[in-house]
Each structure stands twice: as C-alpha cells, then as structure tokens.
Amino acid sequence: MSAERNPAPLLAARDIHKNFIIKDDRGPAQTLKAVDGVSLDIAPGEVVGVVGESGCGKSTLGKTIMWMHEPDDGTLTWKGKDMIAVSGAELKVIRKDMQMIFQDPYSSLNPRKMVKDIISQPLRVHAQGDKDEIARRTEEVMREVGINPVYGRRYPHQFSGGQRQRIGIARALALEPDFVVCDEAVSALDVSIQAQILNLLLDLKDRHGFANLFISHDLSVVEFISERILVMYLGRIVEKAPKTELMAEPLHPYTRALLAAFPIADPSVRSTKKQIVVGDVPSPLNPPTGCHFHPRCPLAADRCREVYPPLVEVAPGRQVACWEVSAG
Ligand SMILES: Nc1ncnc2c1ncn2[C@@H]1O[C@H](COP(=O)(O)OP(=O)(O)OP(=O)(O)O)[C@@H](O)[C@H]1O
Ligand SMILES: [Mg+2]
C-alpha cells in the first residue's frame, strides 16, 4: 500500500482553503481559516482517515472536497476532471458519485418520511429508473445494510440509533457512489454498535469498492477503518502516514499526544513516546504565530514560534509538518 497511489487518484485536492467570515456586533468582520491549505489524494477504493480535535476543520474539509462548500482557493480534481471548471450538469453527475454519511442520524433523516422514501430519495432525484426499479433497488440496499425491507413503511423514530445509521448508509449507497465521506458516522453510537457499523462499512466497501474519507475525532475509530491517516490541527494537515506506521511511530508531537491518550495495546511500543497534550486548542480566528501547535508542544524551539513548518516527506508515504522532526 503506497501513500498517495498516483498516477490516477479518484480525487485530488491541492492547497484547498475554506474561510468563514465571522461578524458580530462587537467588532469588524474576521476571517476564520477553517481549512488552510490542505492537499490530499484519494485512490479508488482507499479508506483515508482524518483525525483531530474539535474545530480543526475536518467537517469543513469533507464538505469542501465534496463541493458542499465552494473552496476559496486551491484545486479539486475528480477522476482527472477539474471540478471548478465543470458545468452545472457535469457537477450533478459527479455529485451522484459522491455521498456523505453524517454523525447524527436523528437530525439527518427526515422524521416525517418513511424510511423507504428516505432511502429512495437520491434515486428519485437522479431519476434512476421507473417506480418499480426504484422500489427494487431500495429493497436491495436495505437488505445490504441489514434492515428488513418489510420495515420500509416505518419512520426513523421507530428504529434504534444503530439502525438509523444503517438507514443513512443505505441512502448514501443507493446510487452506488465511488466515494463516500463519513463524518463522525459512528460518534453518536455506543461502542458495541460502533463496531457493528464500522464492520458493515468495511464489508460494503469490500463488496462495492468505493473510496472512503472517514472523519472522526476518535483515533481508535479512525485506526480501525483506515488504510492511511491524516492528522489535522487548526485547519492544516500536520502528519500523513499509512495507518500501521502512524500507530507504530507517530512523528508529529501532536500525533504523539493523540496516541498517548489512546488505549495502549502494546505498552512496550508506546511507553517511551507518552506525552500528554496540554492546554486547549487555540482559536482558529487567532491562531498562534509560526507552528500553530507550538504553545502546546514539548519540543517547541524559537523557529517554531516564528515560521510555520512545511509538510515534508520524511520517508516514503510519510509526511510531517514539524521543524524538529524534519530536521532529524
Ligand atoms: N458555517 C460556518 N460558519 C462559520 N464558521 C464555521 C462554519 N462551519 C465551521 N466553522 C468553524 O470552522 C472551524 C472548523 O470547523 P469544523 O466543523 O470543520 O471542525 P471539525 O474538525 O469538524 O470539528 P468537530 O470535531 O467539532 O466536528 C471551527 O472553528 C468552526 O467553528
Ligand atoms: Mg466535524
């Protein structure tokens, strides 16, 4: 498994920026850099995890690469096509191939609609066949996610949290997308249910071969499902690595801190690297100078306070943005 499986990524994002303008009554408008120069490639069928603390820009990144937010800068290429240049009609075709599974099946499923109508909605929007064909596909995808089609006339509140997430997955997979973004897709569920849903996603991915950007603040969840992991901090990627390498030897001090808070499977591996991250995440409206992590970093030196470190390749497939690590 190579890191960025070129030359034909499914999706390629280069130097993506997404800002929000924050305005309140007390002062002038401020620019919040939610995603601040992120590049990533996703190969067909690959599962890439994105992890980082709340507010670091994971959801904004997911929405921007799916074109739910228009990027302020950067390029996005889908199957070799520049998404910024395509027409509205082409974008609709691309959108059919990209689906999102959200955290909260309570709020993302319309409570007034029967589940068969919720699941078939994308099929109807994209005119995927006549009434019978749509009904057949809806039943098929319900079976695939483990919901008996006889329950199609029930409403979301008549299902448990885990079942509701299965309904969300069925809706996302109805159109057989090539790319699925899961944003905290299991975060609202009990741990035992989380495992069932993660296994279901892996199963479905094996069967259908869709690529997956799996976003979670929970490293154990990201570790379970991903082949490759991106670690975000205040709008930027600070480390990119194949999962096994990242877990065995995290390089960025922030990744090490995340791992230190992680249940230890093999204490001999991690005991020497244990560092606890101190302090809160700074406001993205006013990020620290230099490396944004420096106020919390045990390795911070003068240069870290002054200049943001570039994300550099330190080993095949491994990139890290840290002056202290890349200096060797
Ligand atoms: N629509 C919006 N308008 C203004 N600010 C926003 C908007 N969406 C996100 N933000 C801000 O952008 C930053 C990144 O938010 P985002 O939701 O992407 O983070 P996240 O990593 O997904 O966090 P969480 O783990 O809490 O879901 C945060 O500071 C957030 O407050
Ligand atoms: Mg989020």
Side-chain angles (χ1 to χ4, degrees), residues 105-106 156-165 167 189 193:
Y106 296 77
H157 75 267
Q158 295 174 286
F159 293 86
S160 68
Q163 284 170 324
R164 266 196 288 258
Q165 198 50 294
I167 294 165
L189 305 173
I193 311 292

Side-chain angles (χ1 to χ4, degrees), residues 17-325:
H17 292 256
K18 179 65 205 170
N19 302 327
F20 294 111
I21 305 300
I22 308 295
K23 178 111 187 73
D24 64 25
D25 301 337
R26 282 165 297 175
Q30 285 181 285
T31 303
L32 187 153
K33 297 179 174 180
V35 174
D36 191 15
V38 166
S39 298
L40 62 97
D41 281 0
I42 296 172
E46 187 184 27
V47 186
V48 177
V50 180
V51 70
E53 283 162 291
S54 182
C56 71
K58 304 179 297 296
S59 297
T60 306
L61 176 66
K63 288 180 181 161
T64 308
I65 65 174
M66 290 192 71
W67 213 256
M68 291 165 75
H69 288 317
E70 193 166 337
D72 291 298
D73 205 356
T75 61
L76 267 176
T77 312
W78 171 255
K79 296 181 181 175
K81 252 192 195 153
D82 176 359
M83 281 176 73
I84 295 164
V86 298
S87 67
E90 280 177 295
L91 199 57
K92 192 174 175 200
V93 175
I94 294 176
R95 280 242 172 88
K96 174 175 165 290
D97 255 356
M98 300 177 152
Q99 296 293 324
M100 194 145 183
I101 296 168
F102 297 93
Q103 164 167 10
D104 186 359
Y106 296 77
S107 63
S108 65
L109 304 180
N110 186 335
R112 286 180 295 277
K113 289 221 152 101
M114 289 188 275
V115 299
K116 71 176 177 56
D117 294 332
I118 291 172
I119 294 169
S120 62
Q121 192 213 7
L123 296 165
R124 284 180 275 116
V125 168
H126 290 276
Q128 300 296 294
D130 62 24
K131 226 171 140 218
D132 288 347
E133 282 163 330
I134 287 177
R136 205 174 317 119
R137 173 68 190 142
T138 304
E139 289 190 7
E140 182 181 62
V141 76
M142 285 179 78
R143 264 185 231 104
E144 277 206 90
V145 302
I147 301 277
N148 190 328
V150 301
Y151 299 138
R153 301 184 70 80
R154 292 192 179 180
Y155 292 86
H157 75 267
Q158 295 174 286
F159 293 86
S160 68
Q163 284 170 324
R164 266 196 288 258
Q165 198 50 294
R166 288 173 193 266
I167 294 165
I169 294 170
R171 176 178 57 183
L173 298 189
L175 289 165
E176 301 192 73
D178 287 332
F179 180 50
V180 176
V181 173
C182 296
D183 189 359
E184 304 283 0
V186 300
S187 303
L189 305 173
D190 290 348
V191 173
S192 61
I193 311 292
Q194 284 189 350
Q196 289 172 16
I197 298 293
L198 291 171
N199 280 315
L200 172 69
L201 282 169
L202 282 175
D203 245 29
L204 292 166
K205 183 200 99 73
D206 284 348
R207 220 172 312 150
H208 298 286
F210 53 83
N212 188 352
L213 188 77
F214 193 94
I215 295 168
S216 176
H217 67 280
D218 183 342
L219 183 59
S220 60
V221 166
V222 168
E223 185 208 11
F224 182 84
I225 198 157
S226 311
E227 295 162 54
R228 208 149 56 81
I229 296 180
L230 316 178
V231 182
M232 280 188 84
Y233 192 77
L234 279 189
R236 300 192 185 189
I237 292 178
V238 296
E239 183 161 2
K240 278 188 192 181
K243 183 248 305 271
T244 41
E245 286 160 61
L246 185 108
M247 299 307 289
E249 196 190 4
L251 295 178
H252 196 284
Y254 179 60
T255 318
R256 290 187 211 168
L258 286 181
L259 247 89
F262 186 78
I264 297 172
D266 178 357
S268 66
V269 176
R270 293 192 193 129
S271 57
T272 54
K273 303 193 182 78
K274 204 163 168 75
Q275 291 167 1
I276 302 297
V277 69
V278 290
D280 294 328
V281 190
S283 163
L285 270 174
N286 188 17
T289 57
C291 172
H292 296 342
F293 187 59
H294 87 256
R296 303 169 82 188
C297 181
L299 306 180
D302 286 347
R303 181 161 55 163
C304 311
R305 288 179 259 277
E306 288 154 16
V307 188
Y308 196 93
L311 189 62
V312 292
E313 183 145 277
V314 289
R318 296 212 65 174
Q319 295 180 10
V320 63
C322 174
W323 290 120
E324 294 304 302
V325 172

